[in-house]
Amino acid sequence: MTILEILFLIVIFVSNIVQGITGFAGTVIAMPFSIKLVGIDAARLILNLVAIAISLLVVIFNFKKIRFKTLLLLLVFVGIGFGLGYLIHFMNLNGEHALKAYGAVICMIAIIYFFFDVDGNKIPKWIHPIVLIIAGMMHFLFVSGGPLVVIFAVTMIKDKNEFRATLSMMWLILNSIILGIGIGDGFFTPHLLLIGGIAIAISLLSLFIAKLLLKKIDSRQFLKIAYVLLFISGVFAVL
């Protein structure tokens, strides 16, 4: 294992502690740093494996709480963007430009979340599908559609457990497709699977630590720190 891979695992550890506390920011914070450390293909596939493992656990223990009608509605619009993301990936368009655009979107999200109390109910209805489609594109390309989906999903599902279960089921479906494409493209090597297995173990440890920290910190104040990290991560992607 190289030094860069060790740093990559540290990024996963820290970002998943943030994920465990905020509920949405982990992969978005991790991805730009991970791309610089291990490359976009390895970062994307390993973080996707981590997301599958976490989503699967949530779905297994909360399957009865999934709101399937809402899930289907989200999948329609996020799925359109997901398909567009696949076309960009398949056509091998300029990845550097896509990464910079992704970083700019992350910075915008961080600024909006930091300074404003985001309420999807106050955003015009016609904007919702557009943002969800953009989220789908971001998710296929960078496994990072969460923050944009959360803005609107939280207005559709009020119960926290139903919200978490429904979104986890959506991510499980989409991430499984990314996994299948990665396998089909031959990206998975024994070494990448080894790093992926370690990353999953580290992520589960991170979530356990986050659960302990939640009892001792003010999660609302911690969100502000998360948004700053989100902004730094976006700037890192643009540079």
Side-chain angles (χ1 to χ4, degrees), residues 95-212:
E96 189 65 28
H97 289 165
L99 181 60
K100 290 182 183 300
Y102 166 67
V105 171
I106 292 176
C107 289
M108 180 183 69
I109 292 170
I111 291 170
I112 291 172
Y113 270 94
F114 188 90
F115 289 105
F116 303 99
D117 184 13
V118 180
D119 184 351
N121 287 313
K122 296 179 181 179
I123 299 173
K125 296 292 184 183
W126 64 269
I127 293 180
H128 293 201
I130 296 172
V131 176
L132 290 174
I133 289 170
I134 294 172
M137 292 175 62
M138 285 179 60
H139 198 74
F140 184 88
L141 294 171
F142 303 106
V143 200
S144 305
L148 290 176
V149 173
V150 164
I151 295 174
F152 303 113
V154 75
T155 69
M156 302 164 72
I157 310 172
K158 300 300 182 183
D159 182 86
K160 289 184 179 180
N161 291 322
E162 291 181 354
F163 173 83
R164 190 161 174 253
T166 303
L167 284 191
S168 292
M169 187 67 201
M170 184 177 73
W171 300 133
L172 182 60
I173 293 169
L174 297 178
N175 292 341
S176 296
I177 295 172
I178 294 174
L179 174 62
I181 293 172
I183 292 172
D185 289 342
F187 281 120
F188 283 98
T189 64
H191 183 70
L192 190 143
L193 288 172
L194 173 63
I195 300 298
I198 296 172
I200 290 172
I202 286 175
S203 298
L204 295 177
L205 175 61
S206 298
L207 294 178
F208 175 74
I209 292 173
K211 188 175 181 179
L212 296 178

Side-chain angles (χ1 to χ4, degrees), residues 4 8 14 74-75 133 169 177 239:
L4 292 180
F8 170 55
V14 173
L74 288 171
L75 278 173
I133 289 170
M169 187 67 201
I177 295 172
L239 295 177

